Short mmCIF file of all heavy atoms in Angstrom, two decimals:
data_model
loop_
_atom_site.label_atom_id
_atom_site.label_comp_id
_atom_site.label_asym_id
_atom_site.label_seq_id
_atom_site.Cartn_x
_atom_site.Cartn_y
_atom_site.Cartn_z
N MET A 1 9.36 2.05 -6.53
CA MET A 1 7.97 1.96 -6.48
C MET A 1 7.45 2.23 -7.92
O MET A 1 6.39 1.80 -8.24
CB MET A 1 7.33 2.86 -5.47
CG MET A 1 7.33 2.52 -4.12
SD MET A 1 6.45 1.04 -3.68
CE MET A 1 7.24 0.57 -2.17
N PRO A 2 8.14 3.06 -8.64
CA PRO A 2 7.60 3.34 -10.07
C PRO A 2 7.48 2.10 -10.84
O PRO A 2 6.39 2.02 -11.66
CB PRO A 2 8.64 4.28 -10.65
CG PRO A 2 9.39 4.91 -9.57
CD PRO A 2 9.30 3.84 -8.43
N ALA A 3 8.32 1.13 -10.65
CA ALA A 3 8.15 -0.18 -11.41
C ALA A 3 6.86 -0.85 -10.87
O ALA A 3 6.10 -1.40 -11.72
CB ALA A 3 9.32 -0.92 -11.35
N ALA A 4 6.59 -0.85 -9.65
CA ALA A 4 5.47 -1.53 -9.18
C ALA A 4 4.13 -0.75 -9.64
O ALA A 4 3.31 -1.44 -9.96
CB ALA A 4 5.49 -1.45 -7.54
N ALA A 5 4.13 0.42 -9.63
CA ALA A 5 3.03 1.32 -10.18
C ALA A 5 2.78 0.85 -11.60
O ALA A 5 1.60 0.59 -11.98
CB ALA A 5 3.20 2.69 -9.99
N ALA A 6 3.80 0.73 -12.43
CA ALA A 6 3.64 0.33 -13.87
C ALA A 6 2.97 -1.06 -13.88
O ALA A 6 2.11 -1.42 -14.71
CB ALA A 6 4.95 0.45 -14.54
N ARG A 7 3.50 -2.04 -13.02
CA ARG A 7 3.14 -3.39 -13.12
C ARG A 7 1.70 -3.46 -12.64
O ARG A 7 0.86 -4.17 -13.28
CB ARG A 7 3.98 -4.20 -12.19
CG ARG A 7 5.32 -4.52 -12.91
CD ARG A 7 6.08 -5.69 -12.25
NE ARG A 7 6.28 -5.41 -10.78
CZ ARG A 7 7.33 -4.92 -10.19
NH1 ARG A 7 8.28 -4.28 -10.96
NH2 ARG A 7 7.46 -4.69 -8.91
N LEU A 8 1.27 -2.83 -11.67
CA LEU A 8 -0.13 -2.75 -11.12
C LEU A 8 -0.98 -2.21 -12.12
O LEU A 8 -2.16 -2.69 -12.29
CB LEU A 8 -0.20 -2.04 -9.79
CG LEU A 8 0.20 -2.75 -8.65
CD1 LEU A 8 0.34 -1.82 -7.42
CD2 LEU A 8 -0.69 -3.92 -8.33
N ALA A 9 -0.62 -1.07 -12.86
CA ALA A 9 -1.41 -0.48 -13.88
C ALA A 9 -1.75 -1.47 -15.05
O ALA A 9 -2.93 -1.64 -15.50
CB ALA A 9 -0.89 0.79 -14.43
N LYS A 10 -0.76 -2.21 -15.47
CA LYS A 10 -0.72 -3.21 -16.44
C LYS A 10 -1.68 -4.35 -16.13
O LYS A 10 -2.48 -4.73 -16.87
CB LYS A 10 0.62 -3.66 -16.93
CG LYS A 10 0.59 -4.71 -18.03
CD LYS A 10 2.01 -4.99 -18.42
CE LYS A 10 1.97 -6.01 -19.68
NZ LYS A 10 3.33 -6.41 -20.09
N LEU A 11 -1.41 -4.83 -14.85
CA LEU A 11 -2.36 -5.97 -14.39
C LEU A 11 -3.75 -5.45 -14.12
O LEU A 11 -4.61 -6.29 -14.49
CB LEU A 11 -1.75 -6.37 -12.86
CG LEU A 11 -2.48 -7.59 -12.34
CD1 LEU A 11 -2.38 -8.77 -13.33
CD2 LEU A 11 -1.84 -7.93 -11.05
N ARG A 12 -4.03 -4.26 -13.69
CA ARG A 12 -5.40 -3.82 -13.68
C ARG A 12 -6.03 -3.78 -14.98
O ARG A 12 -7.14 -4.09 -15.21
CB ARG A 12 -5.37 -2.42 -12.85
CG ARG A 12 -6.88 -1.99 -12.56
CD ARG A 12 -6.84 -0.67 -11.71
NE ARG A 12 -6.21 -0.85 -10.39
CZ ARG A 12 -6.78 -1.57 -9.41
NH1 ARG A 12 -7.86 -2.10 -9.46
NH2 ARG A 12 -6.09 -1.39 -8.26
N ALA A 13 -5.33 -3.33 -16.02
CA ALA A 13 -5.86 -3.20 -17.41
C ALA A 13 -6.18 -4.67 -17.94
O ALA A 13 -7.27 -4.93 -18.50
CB ALA A 13 -4.99 -2.45 -18.27
N LEU A 14 -5.33 -5.56 -17.50
CA LEU A 14 -5.36 -6.93 -18.14
C LEU A 14 -6.65 -7.62 -17.48
O LEU A 14 -7.30 -8.45 -18.04
CB LEU A 14 -4.18 -7.83 -17.87
CG LEU A 14 -2.98 -7.49 -18.70
CD1 LEU A 14 -1.67 -8.24 -18.22
CD2 LEU A 14 -3.16 -7.85 -20.11
N CYS A 15 -6.89 -7.28 -16.20
CA CYS A 15 -7.93 -7.99 -15.45
C CYS A 15 -9.19 -7.02 -15.23
O CYS A 15 -9.94 -7.21 -14.32
CB CYS A 15 -7.45 -8.24 -14.11
SG CYS A 15 -6.06 -9.45 -14.07
N ALA A 16 -9.33 -5.97 -16.08
CA ALA A 16 -10.47 -5.08 -15.91
C ALA A 16 -11.87 -5.70 -15.81
O ALA A 16 -12.60 -5.22 -15.06
CB ALA A 16 -10.38 -4.05 -17.05
N ASP A 17 -12.02 -6.81 -16.49
CA ASP A 17 -13.31 -7.47 -16.59
C ASP A 17 -13.62 -8.07 -15.18
O ASP A 17 -14.76 -8.37 -14.93
CB ASP A 17 -13.50 -8.42 -17.66
CG ASP A 17 -13.42 -7.82 -18.99
OD1 ASP A 17 -13.77 -6.60 -19.18
OD2 ASP A 17 -13.16 -8.61 -19.99
N PHE A 18 -12.65 -8.39 -14.42
CA PHE A 18 -12.78 -9.13 -13.16
C PHE A 18 -12.78 -8.30 -11.93
O PHE A 18 -13.17 -8.75 -10.94
CB PHE A 18 -11.69 -10.24 -13.02
CG PHE A 18 -11.63 -11.07 -14.25
CD1 PHE A 18 -10.62 -10.96 -15.17
CD2 PHE A 18 -12.65 -11.99 -14.46
CE1 PHE A 18 -10.59 -11.74 -16.26
CE2 PHE A 18 -12.58 -12.82 -15.57
CZ PHE A 18 -11.54 -12.80 -16.40
N ALA A 19 -12.29 -7.01 -11.99
CA ALA A 19 -12.08 -6.14 -10.90
C ALA A 19 -11.36 -6.72 -9.66
O ALA A 19 -12.05 -6.74 -8.58
CB ALA A 19 -13.47 -5.53 -10.54
N PRO A 20 -10.24 -7.29 -9.81
CA PRO A 20 -9.53 -7.88 -8.69
C PRO A 20 -9.08 -6.95 -7.73
O PRO A 20 -8.85 -5.73 -8.01
CB PRO A 20 -8.37 -8.61 -9.27
CG PRO A 20 -7.96 -7.80 -10.51
CD PRO A 20 -9.35 -7.32 -11.02
N VAL A 21 -8.87 -7.32 -6.48
CA VAL A 21 -8.19 -6.57 -5.41
C VAL A 21 -6.70 -6.90 -5.67
O VAL A 21 -6.26 -7.90 -5.67
CB VAL A 21 -8.60 -7.05 -4.06
CG1 VAL A 21 -7.82 -6.30 -2.99
CG2 VAL A 21 -10.16 -6.81 -3.83
N LEU A 22 -5.98 -5.74 -5.91
CA LEU A 22 -4.57 -5.81 -6.13
C LEU A 22 -3.75 -5.31 -4.80
O LEU A 22 -4.12 -4.19 -4.29
CB LEU A 22 -4.12 -4.89 -7.28
CG LEU A 22 -4.82 -5.30 -8.63
CD1 LEU A 22 -4.41 -4.40 -9.78
CD2 LEU A 22 -4.50 -6.83 -8.97
N ALA A 23 -2.78 -6.02 -4.54
CA ALA A 23 -1.96 -5.69 -3.41
C ALA A 23 -0.51 -5.50 -3.61
O ALA A 23 0.04 -5.99 -4.69
CB ALA A 23 -2.04 -6.90 -2.40
N ILE A 24 0.15 -4.62 -2.82
CA ILE A 24 1.59 -4.57 -2.94
C ILE A 24 2.15 -4.90 -1.67
O ILE A 24 1.68 -4.67 -0.64
CB ILE A 24 1.97 -3.04 -3.30
CG1 ILE A 24 3.38 -2.98 -3.63
CG2 ILE A 24 1.55 -2.05 -2.17
CD1 ILE A 24 3.79 -1.58 -4.31
N ASP A 25 3.36 -5.71 -1.72
CA ASP A 25 3.93 -6.38 -0.51
C ASP A 25 5.40 -6.27 -0.69
O ASP A 25 5.82 -6.46 -1.82
CB ASP A 25 3.36 -7.81 -0.34
CG ASP A 25 3.87 -8.51 0.84
OD1 ASP A 25 4.43 -7.79 1.69
OD2 ASP A 25 3.57 -9.68 0.98
N GLY A 26 6.03 -6.02 0.39
CA GLY A 26 7.57 -6.12 0.29
C GLY A 26 8.19 -4.79 0.45
O GLY A 26 7.88 -3.85 -0.23
N GLY A 27 8.83 -4.58 1.60
CA GLY A 27 9.55 -3.32 1.71
C GLY A 27 8.62 -2.19 2.17
O GLY A 27 8.97 -0.93 2.05
N ILE A 28 7.52 -2.53 2.69
CA ILE A 28 6.57 -1.45 3.16
C ILE A 28 6.96 -0.98 4.57
O ILE A 28 6.82 -1.77 5.57
CB ILE A 28 5.19 -1.93 3.02
CG1 ILE A 28 4.85 -2.42 1.65
CG2 ILE A 28 4.15 -0.81 3.57
CD1 ILE A 28 5.00 -1.39 0.48
N THR A 29 7.48 0.26 4.67
CA THR A 29 7.73 0.73 5.95
C THR A 29 7.10 2.15 6.07
O THR A 29 6.31 2.61 5.13
CB THR A 29 9.39 1.05 5.95
OG1 THR A 29 9.70 1.98 5.05
CG2 THR A 29 10.05 -0.35 5.76
N ALA A 30 7.35 2.75 7.21
CA ALA A 30 6.79 4.13 7.45
C ALA A 30 7.39 5.11 6.30
O ALA A 30 6.70 6.05 6.05
CB ALA A 30 7.02 4.70 8.79
N GLU A 31 8.49 4.89 5.83
CA GLU A 31 9.18 5.71 4.81
C GLU A 31 8.65 5.37 3.48
O GLU A 31 8.80 6.19 2.59
CB GLU A 31 10.60 5.51 4.82
CG GLU A 31 11.31 6.10 6.03
CD GLU A 31 11.06 5.28 7.41
OE1 GLU A 31 10.98 4.05 7.24
OE2 GLU A 31 10.97 6.06 8.50
N THR A 32 8.13 4.18 3.25
CA THR A 32 7.66 3.80 1.84
C THR A 32 6.20 3.70 1.69
O THR A 32 5.67 3.54 0.48
CB THR A 32 8.37 2.48 1.34
OG1 THR A 32 7.91 1.46 2.13
CG2 THR A 32 9.91 2.67 1.39
N ILE A 33 5.37 3.64 2.65
CA ILE A 33 4.00 3.38 2.51
C ILE A 33 3.24 4.37 1.76
O ILE A 33 2.39 4.02 1.09
CB ILE A 33 3.32 3.10 3.90
CG1 ILE A 33 1.91 2.33 3.70
CG2 ILE A 33 3.29 4.31 4.71
CD1 ILE A 33 1.30 1.90 4.87
N ALA A 34 3.61 5.69 1.85
CA ALA A 34 2.87 6.69 1.23
C ALA A 34 2.94 6.46 -0.33
O ALA A 34 1.91 6.52 -1.06
CB ALA A 34 3.33 7.96 1.45
N GLU A 35 4.17 6.19 -0.80
CA GLU A 35 4.39 6.01 -2.24
C GLU A 35 3.75 4.68 -2.67
O GLU A 35 3.18 4.71 -3.68
CB GLU A 35 5.96 5.97 -2.58
CG GLU A 35 6.25 5.78 -3.97
CD GLU A 35 7.74 5.91 -4.32
OE1 GLU A 35 8.45 5.98 -3.45
OE2 GLU A 35 8.10 5.81 -5.47
N ALA A 36 3.73 3.67 -1.78
CA ALA A 36 3.07 2.39 -2.12
C ALA A 36 1.59 2.63 -2.27
O ALA A 36 1.01 2.07 -3.16
CB ALA A 36 3.42 1.36 -1.00
N CYS A 37 1.00 3.47 -1.42
CA CYS A 37 -0.47 3.68 -1.47
C CYS A 37 -0.82 4.50 -2.71
O CYS A 37 -1.83 4.29 -3.40
CB CYS A 37 -0.84 4.64 -0.37
SG CYS A 37 -0.91 3.75 1.22
N LEU A 38 0.11 5.16 -3.29
CA LEU A 38 -0.04 5.93 -4.49
C LEU A 38 0.16 5.08 -5.89
O LEU A 38 -0.12 5.64 -6.93
CB LEU A 38 0.76 7.16 -4.53
CG LEU A 38 0.45 8.17 -3.36
CD1 LEU A 38 1.29 9.42 -3.39
CD2 LEU A 38 -1.07 8.49 -3.24
N THR A 39 0.47 3.84 -5.73
CA THR A 39 0.68 2.94 -6.97
C THR A 39 -0.52 2.55 -7.55
O THR A 39 -0.50 2.04 -8.69
CB THR A 39 1.46 1.76 -6.59
OG1 THR A 39 0.79 0.96 -5.69
CG2 THR A 39 2.86 2.18 -5.99
N GLY A 40 -1.60 2.69 -6.85
CA GLY A 40 -2.86 2.11 -7.34
C GLY A 40 -3.34 0.86 -6.73
O GLY A 40 -4.33 0.27 -7.15
N ALA A 41 -2.54 0.29 -5.83
CA ALA A 41 -2.92 -0.90 -5.19
C ALA A 41 -4.15 -0.68 -4.23
O ALA A 41 -4.33 0.46 -3.71
CB ALA A 41 -1.63 -1.40 -4.23
N ASP A 42 -4.91 -1.72 -4.15
CA ASP A 42 -6.03 -1.70 -3.32
C ASP A 42 -5.65 -1.98 -1.85
O ASP A 42 -6.40 -1.65 -0.84
CB ASP A 42 -7.18 -2.61 -3.78
CG ASP A 42 -7.67 -2.33 -5.11
OD1 ASP A 42 -8.15 -1.28 -5.42
OD2 ASP A 42 -7.56 -3.20 -6.00
N LEU A 43 -4.64 -2.73 -1.61
CA LEU A 43 -4.23 -3.21 -0.38
C LEU A 43 -2.68 -3.10 -0.35
O LEU A 43 -1.95 -3.31 -1.28
CB LEU A 43 -4.63 -4.70 -0.30
CG LEU A 43 -4.32 -5.45 1.02
CD1 LEU A 43 -5.18 -4.85 2.11
CD2 LEU A 43 -4.63 -6.90 0.76
N VAL A 44 -2.21 -2.68 0.81
CA VAL A 44 -0.71 -2.54 1.12
C VAL A 44 -0.39 -3.48 2.32
O VAL A 44 -1.05 -3.34 3.37
CB VAL A 44 -0.39 -1.03 1.43
CG1 VAL A 44 1.11 -1.06 1.74
CG2 VAL A 44 -0.70 -0.22 0.24
N VAL A 45 0.52 -4.29 2.06
CA VAL A 45 0.83 -5.31 3.10
C VAL A 45 2.33 -5.00 3.71
O VAL A 45 3.13 -4.72 3.05
CB VAL A 45 0.95 -6.75 2.51
CG1 VAL A 45 1.32 -7.76 3.59
CG2 VAL A 45 -0.36 -7.07 1.93
N SER A 46 2.29 -4.90 5.20
CA SER A 46 3.47 -4.63 5.82
C SER A 46 3.65 -5.61 6.99
O SER A 46 2.79 -5.59 7.86
CB SER A 46 3.51 -3.13 6.36
OG SER A 46 4.73 -2.89 7.04
N GLY A 47 4.69 -6.38 6.85
CA GLY A 47 4.89 -7.32 8.01
C GLY A 47 6.07 -6.97 8.77
O GLY A 47 5.88 -6.72 10.04
N SER A 48 7.17 -7.05 8.21
CA SER A 48 8.39 -6.82 8.95
C SER A 48 8.46 -5.48 9.69
O SER A 48 9.06 -5.45 10.87
CB SER A 48 9.72 -6.96 7.97
OG SER A 48 9.80 -8.27 7.54
N ALA A 49 8.05 -4.48 9.03
CA ALA A 49 8.08 -3.13 9.60
C ALA A 49 7.32 -3.06 10.94
O ALA A 49 7.65 -2.47 11.91
CB ALA A 49 7.53 -2.08 8.75
N ILE A 50 6.21 -3.81 11.01
CA ILE A 50 5.33 -3.99 12.21
C ILE A 50 5.98 -4.91 13.36
O ILE A 50 6.18 -4.47 14.42
CB ILE A 50 3.90 -4.40 11.85
CG1 ILE A 50 3.23 -3.45 10.99
CG2 ILE A 50 3.09 -4.66 13.10
CD1 ILE A 50 1.96 -3.79 10.36
N PHE A 51 6.19 -6.08 12.90
CA PHE A 51 6.59 -7.14 13.81
C PHE A 51 8.01 -7.01 14.31
O PHE A 51 8.41 -7.51 15.36
CB PHE A 51 6.45 -8.62 13.20
CG PHE A 51 4.96 -8.75 13.05
CD1 PHE A 51 4.37 -8.86 11.72
CD2 PHE A 51 4.12 -9.01 14.13
CE1 PHE A 51 2.92 -9.10 11.65
CE2 PHE A 51 2.77 -9.25 14.10
CZ PHE A 51 2.21 -9.26 12.79
N LYS A 52 8.88 -6.31 13.56
CA LYS A 52 10.26 -5.99 14.06
C LYS A 52 10.51 -4.73 14.75
O LYS A 52 11.46 -4.45 15.31
CB LYS A 52 11.30 -6.05 12.84
CG LYS A 52 11.44 -7.45 12.34
CD LYS A 52 12.51 -7.43 11.14
CE LYS A 52 12.70 -8.85 10.60
NZ LYS A 52 13.61 -8.90 9.50
N ALA A 53 9.34 -4.02 14.91
CA ALA A 53 9.39 -2.68 15.57
C ALA A 53 9.36 -2.93 17.09
O ALA A 53 8.88 -3.89 17.52
CB ALA A 53 8.06 -1.90 15.23
N ALA A 54 10.09 -1.99 17.80
CA ALA A 54 10.10 -2.07 19.19
C ALA A 54 8.61 -2.11 19.75
O ALA A 54 8.35 -2.72 20.82
CB ALA A 54 10.82 -0.91 19.81
N ASP A 55 7.82 -1.28 19.15
CA ASP A 55 6.31 -1.21 19.59
C ASP A 55 5.40 -1.36 18.40
O ASP A 55 5.19 -0.52 17.66
CB ASP A 55 6.06 0.15 20.25
CG ASP A 55 4.73 0.27 20.80
OD1 ASP A 55 3.83 -0.43 20.50
OD2 ASP A 55 4.58 1.30 21.46
N PRO A 56 5.13 -2.73 18.10
CA PRO A 56 4.30 -2.95 16.96
C PRO A 56 3.01 -2.22 16.84
O PRO A 56 2.66 -1.75 15.68
CB PRO A 56 4.06 -4.53 17.16
CG PRO A 56 5.23 -5.00 17.92
CD PRO A 56 5.52 -3.94 18.98
N ALA A 57 2.32 -2.04 17.94
CA ALA A 57 1.11 -1.19 17.77
C ALA A 57 1.30 0.21 17.45
O ALA A 57 0.51 0.73 16.64
CB ALA A 57 0.37 -1.28 19.21
N ALA A 58 2.34 0.89 17.96
CA ALA A 58 2.66 2.17 17.51
C ALA A 58 3.06 2.27 16.07
O ALA A 58 2.75 3.18 15.33
CB ALA A 58 3.84 2.68 18.51
N MET A 59 3.80 1.19 15.56
CA MET A 59 4.15 1.18 14.10
C MET A 59 2.99 1.13 13.31
O MET A 59 2.77 1.67 12.31
CB MET A 59 5.18 0.06 13.94
CG MET A 59 5.60 0.01 12.45
SD MET A 59 6.32 1.57 11.80
CE MET A 59 7.90 1.61 12.48
N LEU A 60 2.16 0.31 13.66
CA LEU A 60 0.87 0.05 12.86
C LEU A 60 0.02 1.32 12.86
O LEU A 60 -0.40 1.69 11.78
CB LEU A 60 -0.05 -1.06 13.54
CG LEU A 60 -1.29 -1.43 12.80
CD1 LEU A 60 -1.10 -1.70 11.34
CD2 LEU A 60 -2.07 -2.46 13.44
N ALA A 61 -0.04 1.98 13.94
CA ALA A 61 -0.77 3.30 14.02
C ALA A 61 -0.08 4.36 13.07
O ALA A 61 -0.61 5.03 12.33
CB ALA A 61 -0.85 3.82 15.43
N ARG A 62 1.28 4.35 13.09
CA ARG A 62 2.06 5.27 12.31
C ARG A 62 1.80 4.93 10.78
O ARG A 62 1.60 5.82 10.00
CB ARG A 62 3.51 5.13 12.68
CG ARG A 62 4.36 6.08 11.92
CD ARG A 62 5.83 6.04 12.30
NE ARG A 62 6.66 6.85 11.51
CZ ARG A 62 7.95 6.71 11.33
NH1 ARG A 62 8.57 5.89 12.02
NH2 ARG A 62 8.68 7.50 10.53
N LEU A 63 1.89 3.60 10.40
CA LEU A 63 1.64 3.37 9.06
C LEU A 63 0.26 3.83 8.56
O LEU A 63 0.04 4.16 7.47
CB LEU A 63 1.85 1.73 8.86
CG LEU A 63 3.26 1.29 9.04
CD1 LEU A 63 3.29 -0.34 9.17
CD2 LEU A 63 4.09 1.74 7.93
N ALA A 64 -0.62 3.47 9.50
CA ALA A 64 -2.11 3.77 9.09
C ALA A 64 -2.26 5.44 8.89
O ALA A 64 -2.95 5.77 7.95
CB ALA A 64 -3.04 3.23 10.22
N ALA A 65 -1.72 6.06 9.82
CA ALA A 65 -1.73 7.63 9.75
C ALA A 65 -1.09 8.12 8.41
O ALA A 65 -1.55 8.93 7.68
CB ALA A 65 -1.03 8.20 10.92
N VAL A 66 0.16 7.54 7.99
CA VAL A 66 0.78 7.94 6.75
C VAL A 66 0.05 7.45 5.52
O VAL A 66 -0.11 8.26 4.62
CB VAL A 66 2.25 7.27 6.75
CG1 VAL A 66 2.92 7.58 5.38
CG2 VAL A 66 2.95 7.88 7.84
N GLN A 67 -0.55 6.18 5.71
CA GLN A 67 -1.47 5.69 4.60
C GLN A 67 -2.75 6.77 4.40
O GLN A 67 -2.96 7.04 3.27
CB GLN A 67 -1.95 4.41 4.85
CG GLN A 67 -3.00 3.91 3.83
CD GLN A 67 -3.77 2.72 4.31
OE1 GLN A 67 -4.07 2.43 5.41
NE2 GLN A 67 -3.92 1.64 3.28
N GLN A 68 -3.31 7.09 5.44
CA GLN A 68 -4.46 7.92 5.39
C GLN A 68 -4.14 9.25 4.78
O GLN A 68 -4.83 9.88 3.91
CB GLN A 68 -5.09 8.05 6.71
CG GLN A 68 -6.33 8.84 6.73
CD GLN A 68 -7.06 9.00 8.03
OE1 GLN A 68 -6.49 8.67 9.13
NE2 GLN A 68 -8.35 9.25 8.05
N ALA A 69 -2.93 9.86 5.21
CA ALA A 69 -2.56 11.14 4.73
C ALA A 69 -2.32 11.10 3.24
O ALA A 69 -2.66 11.95 2.34
CB ALA A 69 -1.38 11.65 5.36
N ALA A 70 -1.58 10.01 2.78
CA ALA A 70 -1.29 9.81 1.39
C ALA A 70 -2.56 9.61 0.50
O ALA A 70 -2.66 10.26 -0.54
CB ALA A 70 -0.43 8.60 1.13
N LEU A 71 -3.55 8.87 1.04
CA LEU A 71 -4.81 8.66 0.25
C LEU A 71 -5.64 10.01 0.16
O LEU A 71 -6.27 10.25 -0.80
CB LEU A 71 -5.48 7.56 0.81
CG LEU A 71 -4.95 6.26 0.66
CD1 LEU A 71 -5.63 5.14 1.31
CD2 LEU A 71 -4.77 5.79 -0.83
N GLN A 72 -5.62 10.74 1.24
CA GLN A 72 -6.38 11.96 1.37
C GLN A 72 -5.72 13.03 0.14
O GLN A 72 -6.52 13.82 -0.46
CB GLN A 72 -6.37 12.70 2.57
CG GLN A 72 -7.22 12.04 3.64
CD GLN A 72 -7.07 12.66 4.99
OE1 GLN A 72 -6.19 13.44 5.23
NE2 GLN A 72 -8.00 12.27 5.86
N GLN A 73 -4.50 12.92 -0.16
CA GLN A 73 -3.99 13.81 -1.18
C GLN A 73 -4.55 13.47 -2.41
O GLN A 73 -4.59 14.31 -3.43
CB GLN A 73 -2.48 13.48 -1.31
CG GLN A 73 -1.66 13.97 -0.24
CD GLN A 73 -0.24 13.84 -0.27
OE1 GLN A 73 0.31 13.13 -1.24
NE2 GLN A 73 0.65 14.32 0.55
N VAL A 74 -4.95 12.20 -2.75
CA VAL A 74 -5.51 11.83 -4.07
C VAL A 74 -7.03 11.57 -3.99
O VAL A 74 -7.61 11.07 -4.96
CB VAL A 74 -4.72 10.47 -4.63
CG1 VAL A 74 -3.39 10.91 -4.90
CG2 VAL A 74 -4.87 9.43 -3.68
N GLY A 75 -7.62 11.83 -2.92
CA GLY A 75 -9.10 11.64 -2.74
C GLY A 75 -9.59 10.22 -2.62
O GLY A 75 -10.57 9.83 -2.88
N GLY A 76 -8.64 9.34 -2.07
CA GLY A 76 -8.91 8.04 -1.94
C GLY A 76 -9.35 7.81 -0.49
O GLY A 76 -9.29 8.63 0.53
N ALA A 77 -9.67 6.49 -0.09
CA ALA A 77 -9.94 6.06 1.33
C ALA A 77 -9.20 4.72 1.52
O ALA A 77 -9.21 3.85 0.73
CB ALA A 77 -11.32 5.99 1.50
N PRO A 78 -8.68 4.64 2.84
CA PRO A 78 -8.12 3.32 3.09
C PRO A 78 -9.09 2.14 3.10
O PRO A 78 -10.35 2.38 3.31
CB PRO A 78 -7.48 3.62 4.46
CG PRO A 78 -8.05 4.75 5.06
CD PRO A 78 -8.67 5.63 3.96
N ASN A 79 -8.51 1.05 2.79
CA ASN A 79 -9.50 -0.16 2.69
C ASN A 79 -9.49 -0.87 4.07
O ASN A 79 -9.99 -1.95 4.05
CB ASN A 79 -9.08 -1.15 1.68
CG ASN A 79 -9.29 -0.58 0.30
OD1 ASN A 79 -10.18 0.32 0.03
ND2 ASN A 79 -8.37 -0.78 -0.74
N GLY A 80 -8.95 -0.41 5.06
CA GLY A 80 -8.89 -1.09 6.31
C GLY A 80 -7.65 -1.48 6.79
O GLY A 80 -6.64 -1.75 6.88
#
């Protein structure tokens, strides 16, 4: 994730005049989503972790809870 954070920071600086929504995708699980949320991304995408879970709804709820906790640490809010 440190490399992703650096790339997102560089991209955000390059696109500052446009204020794009930046997303991070790939390898987002309950174990990695907190760090992914702290990279500066506006959106975090998780597919396999949800759809390969025994209970997709429970996994989505778990990811959302971890995301919310991570963002509260830095004073942010989830984007939905």
Side-chain angles (χ1 to χ4, degrees):
M1 290 294 161
R7 287 192 304 268
L8 282 171
K10 184 176 181 179
L11 184 58
R12 189 170 302 282
L14 289 170
C15 300
D17 294 340
F18 306 105
V21 173
L22 300 179
I24 189 166
D25 183 10
I28 304 302
T29 67
E31 290 73 31
T32 62
I33 192 168
E35 189 175 359
C37 289
L38 301 177
T39 64
D42 299 303
L43 180 68
V44 178
V45 179
S46 180
S48 295
I50 296 168
F51 293 109
K52 290 183 179 180
D55 184 345
M59 179 56 74
L60 181 58
R62 182 174 174 204
L63 290 169
V66 174
Q67 176 193 34
Q68 185 174 18
L71 293 173
Q72 285 178 347
Q73 288 180 356
V74 294
N79 291 330

